[in-house]
Structure formats: structure tokens, C-alpha cells
Short mmCIF file of all heavy atoms in Angstrom, two decimals:
data_model
loop_
_atom_site.label_atom_id
_atom_site.label_comp_id
_atom_site.label_asym_id
_atom_site.label_seq_id
_atom_site.Cartn_x
_atom_site.Cartn_y
_atom_site.Cartn_z
N ARG I 277 97.43 106.41 91.69
CA ARG I 277 96.97 107.26 90.59
C ARG I 277 96.34 106.44 89.47
O ARG I 277 95.54 106.95 88.69
CB ARG I 277 98.15 108.06 90.03
CG ARG I 277 98.62 109.17 90.96
CD ARG I 277 99.86 109.86 90.42
NE ARG I 277 100.15 111.07 91.17
CZ ARG I 277 101.26 111.78 91.08
NH1 ARG I 277 102.21 111.37 90.24
NH2 ARG I 277 101.44 112.86 91.78
N LEU I 278 96.71 105.17 89.42
CA LEU I 278 96.15 104.27 88.40
C LEU I 278 94.99 103.46 88.95
O LEU I 278 94.41 102.63 88.23
CB LEU I 278 97.23 103.33 87.87
CG LEU I 278 98.49 103.96 87.30
CD1 LEU I 278 99.44 102.89 86.82
CD2 LEU I 278 98.16 104.93 86.17
N GLY I 279 94.67 103.65 90.23
CA GLY I 279 93.56 102.91 90.82
C GLY I 279 93.90 101.52 91.28
O GLY I 279 93.00 100.71 91.52
N ALA I 280 95.20 101.20 91.45
CA ALA I 280 95.61 99.85 91.87
C ALA I 280 95.51 99.74 93.38
O ALA I 280 96.52 99.68 94.10
CB ALA I 280 97.03 99.55 91.39
N VAL I 281 94.29 99.70 93.86
CA VAL I 281 94.05 99.77 95.31
C VAL I 281 94.49 98.50 96.02
O VAL I 281 94.75 98.52 97.23
CB VAL I 281 92.55 100.07 95.57
CG1 VAL I 281 91.68 98.87 95.23
CG2 VAL I 281 92.34 100.50 97.01
N ASP I 282 94.61 97.37 95.31
CA ASP I 282 95.01 96.13 95.97
C ASP I 282 96.40 96.24 96.57
O ASP I 282 96.65 95.74 97.68
CB ASP I 282 94.92 94.96 94.98
CG ASP I 282 95.78 95.15 93.74
OD1 ASP I 282 95.97 96.31 93.31
OD2 ASP I 282 96.25 94.14 93.18
N ILE I 283 97.31 96.88 95.86
CA ILE I 283 98.68 97.02 96.37
C ILE I 283 98.70 97.98 97.55
O ILE I 283 99.38 97.75 98.55
CB ILE I 283 99.61 97.49 95.24
CG1 ILE I 283 99.67 96.42 94.15
CG2 ILE I 283 101.01 97.79 95.78
CD1 ILE I 283 100.45 96.81 92.93
N LEU I 284 97.93 99.07 97.46
CA LEU I 284 97.84 100.01 98.57
C LEU I 284 97.33 99.31 99.82
O LEU I 284 97.91 99.46 100.90
CB LEU I 284 96.90 101.16 98.19
CG LEU I 284 96.53 102.12 99.34
CD1 LEU I 284 97.75 102.89 99.81
CD2 LEU I 284 95.43 103.08 98.90
N GLU I 285 96.28 98.53 99.69
CA GLU I 285 95.70 97.87 100.86
C GLU I 285 96.68 96.92 101.53
O GLU I 285 96.81 96.90 102.75
CB GLU I 285 94.44 97.11 100.47
CG GLU I 285 93.23 98.02 100.28
CD GLU I 285 91.94 97.24 100.19
OE1 GLU I 285 91.84 96.37 99.31
OE2 GLU I 285 91.03 97.49 100.99
N SER I 286 97.37 96.12 100.73
CA SER I 286 98.30 95.16 101.34
C SER I 286 99.48 95.88 101.98
O SER I 286 99.96 95.48 103.05
CB SER I 286 98.79 94.14 100.30
OG SER I 286 99.51 94.78 99.26
N TYR I 287 99.93 96.98 101.38
CA TYR I 287 101.04 97.72 101.96
C TYR I 287 100.62 98.43 103.24
O TYR I 287 101.40 98.53 104.20
CB TYR I 287 101.61 98.72 100.96
CG TYR I 287 102.75 99.53 101.53
CD1 TYR I 287 103.93 98.90 101.93
CD2 TYR I 287 102.65 100.91 101.70
CE1 TYR I 287 104.98 99.63 102.49
CE2 TYR I 287 103.69 101.64 102.25
CZ TYR I 287 104.86 101.00 102.64
OH TYR I 287 105.90 101.72 103.19
N LEU I 288 99.40 98.92 103.31
CA LEU I 288 98.93 99.56 104.53
C LEU I 288 98.96 98.57 105.70
O LEU I 288 99.26 98.94 106.83
CB LEU I 288 97.52 100.13 104.35
CG LEU I 288 97.38 101.31 103.37
CD1 LEU I 288 95.95 101.83 103.36
CD2 LEU I 288 98.36 102.42 103.69
N GLY I 289 98.64 97.31 105.41
CA GLY I 289 98.75 96.30 106.45
C GLY I 289 100.18 96.13 106.93
O GLY I 289 100.44 96.00 108.14
N TYR I 290 101.12 96.15 106.00
CA TYR I 290 102.54 96.07 106.35
C TYR I 290 102.92 97.25 107.25
O TYR I 290 103.58 97.09 108.29
CB TYR I 290 103.37 96.08 105.07
CG TYR I 290 104.87 95.93 105.25
CD1 TYR I 290 105.45 94.67 105.34
CD2 TYR I 290 105.70 97.05 105.29
CE1 TYR I 290 106.82 94.53 105.47
CE2 TYR I 290 107.07 96.92 105.43
CZ TYR I 290 107.63 95.65 105.52
OH TYR I 290 109.00 95.51 105.66
N LEU I 291 102.47 98.46 106.87
CA LEU I 291 102.81 99.64 107.65
C LEU I 291 102.19 99.60 109.04
O LEU I 291 102.84 99.99 110.03
CB LEU I 291 102.32 100.91 106.93
CG LEU I 291 103.18 101.46 105.80
CD1 LEU I 291 102.62 102.79 105.32
CD2 LEU I 291 104.64 101.65 106.25
N ARG I 292 100.94 99.16 109.15
CA ARG I 292 100.31 99.10 110.46
C ARG I 292 101.09 98.18 111.40
O ARG I 292 101.22 98.46 112.60
CB ARG I 292 98.86 98.66 110.33
CG ARG I 292 97.92 99.77 109.85
CD ARG I 292 96.47 99.40 109.98
NE ARG I 292 96.08 98.37 109.03
CZ ARG I 292 95.55 98.62 107.83
NH1 ARG I 292 95.36 99.88 107.44
NH2 ARG I 292 95.21 97.64 107.02
N ASN I 293 101.61 97.09 110.87
CA ASN I 293 102.44 96.21 111.68
C ASN I 293 103.72 96.89 112.13
O ASN I 293 104.17 96.71 113.27
CB ASN I 293 102.75 94.92 110.90
CG ASN I 293 101.61 93.93 110.94
OD1 ASN I 293 101.14 93.56 112.00
ND2 ASN I 293 101.16 93.49 109.79
N LEU I 294 104.32 97.68 111.24
CA LEU I 294 105.53 98.42 111.64
C LEU I 294 105.22 99.45 112.71
O LEU I 294 105.99 99.64 113.66
CB LEU I 294 106.14 99.12 110.42
CG LEU I 294 106.84 98.25 109.38
CD1 LEU I 294 107.46 99.13 108.30
CD2 LEU I 294 107.91 97.37 110.01
N VAL I 295 104.10 100.15 112.54
CA VAL I 295 103.70 101.16 113.52
C VAL I 295 103.50 100.51 114.89
O VAL I 295 103.96 101.03 115.92
CB VAL I 295 102.42 101.88 113.06
CG1 VAL I 295 101.86 102.75 114.18
CG2 VAL I 295 102.72 102.75 111.84
N ASP I 296 102.82 99.36 114.91
CA ASP I 296 102.62 98.67 116.18
C ASP I 296 103.95 98.26 116.81
O ASP I 296 104.16 98.40 118.02
CB ASP I 296 101.75 97.43 115.98
CG ASP I 296 100.29 97.76 115.68
OD1 ASP I 296 99.91 98.94 115.86
OD2 ASP I 296 99.56 96.86 115.27
N ALA I 297 104.85 97.76 115.98
CA ALA I 297 106.14 97.28 116.50
C ALA I 297 106.99 98.43 117.04
O ALA I 297 107.75 98.26 117.99
CB ALA I 297 106.90 96.53 115.41
N SER I 298 106.87 99.60 116.43
CA SER I 298 107.68 100.74 116.87
C SER I 298 107.18 101.35 118.16
O SER I 298 107.95 101.99 118.89
CB SER I 298 107.70 101.82 115.78
OG SER I 298 106.46 102.51 115.74
N ALA I 299 105.88 101.17 118.45
CA ALA I 299 105.26 101.72 119.67
C ALA I 299 105.56 103.21 119.83
O ALA I 299 105.74 103.72 120.93
CB ALA I 299 105.74 100.94 120.90
N GLY I 300 105.61 103.90 118.69
CA GLY I 300 105.83 105.34 118.74
C GLY I 300 107.28 105.75 118.82
O GLY I 300 107.59 106.93 118.94
N GLY I 301 108.18 104.79 118.73
CA GLY I 301 109.58 105.12 118.82
C GLY I 301 110.26 105.16 117.47
O GLY I 301 109.64 105.45 116.45
N HIS I 302 111.53 104.84 117.45
CA HIS I 302 112.34 104.90 116.23
C HIS I 302 111.81 103.94 115.17
O HIS I 302 111.46 102.80 115.46
CB HIS I 302 113.79 104.56 116.57
CG HIS I 302 114.66 104.30 115.39
ND1 HIS I 302 114.93 105.27 114.44
CD2 HIS I 302 115.30 103.17 114.97
CE1 HIS I 302 115.72 104.76 113.51
NE2 HIS I 302 115.95 103.49 113.80
N VAL I 303 111.75 104.41 113.94
CA VAL I 303 111.39 103.58 112.80
C VAL I 303 112.58 103.55 111.84
O VAL I 303 113.15 104.60 111.50
CB VAL I 303 110.15 104.12 112.07
CG1 VAL I 303 109.88 103.30 110.80
CG2 VAL I 303 108.93 104.08 112.97
N GLN I 304 112.96 102.36 111.43
CA GLN I 304 114.07 102.22 110.49
C GLN I 304 113.62 102.67 109.09
O GLN I 304 112.43 102.62 108.76
CB GLN I 304 114.51 100.75 110.41
CG GLN I 304 115.06 100.20 111.71
CD GLN I 304 115.34 98.72 111.64
OE1 GLN I 304 115.59 98.10 112.66
NE2 GLN I 304 115.31 98.13 110.44
N PRO I 305 114.58 103.04 108.24
CA PRO I 305 114.22 103.37 106.86
C PRO I 305 113.92 102.14 106.01
O PRO I 305 113.27 102.24 104.98
CB PRO I 305 115.44 104.11 106.33
CG PRO I 305 116.57 103.67 107.20
CD PRO I 305 115.98 103.39 108.55
N VAL I 306 114.39 100.96 106.44
CA VAL I 306 114.26 99.76 105.62
C VAL I 306 114.09 98.55 106.53
O VAL I 306 114.67 98.49 107.62
CB VAL I 306 115.49 99.60 104.70
CG1 VAL I 306 116.78 99.53 105.48
CG2 VAL I 306 115.34 98.37 103.80
N TYR I 307 113.25 97.61 106.05
CA TYR I 307 113.00 96.36 106.77
C TYR I 307 113.02 95.21 105.78
O TYR I 307 112.87 95.40 104.57
CB TYR I 307 111.64 96.40 107.46
CG TYR I 307 111.54 97.36 108.62
CD1 TYR I 307 111.26 98.72 108.41
CD2 TYR I 307 111.74 96.93 109.92
CE1 TYR I 307 111.18 99.60 109.46
CE2 TYR I 307 111.66 97.81 111.00
CZ TYR I 307 111.38 99.15 110.76
OH TYR I 307 111.31 100.04 111.81
#
């Protein structure tokens, strides 16, 4: 909402790695 896109971009990378690791299965609430 404040336009801080740098944090969004780096976090999306973190999420994509989690998605790949889960292979569509269970995802933990915390890592």
C-alpha cells in the first residue's frame, strides 16, 4: 500500500521456493 515493491519482490522469491519444495502438498505455517 506504500509502494515498497522491493520487499514484495524478495518475498515472492521466498514463496516460489516454498511452492516448489511443497510440490503441491502440505505447506507448513512457518519456516
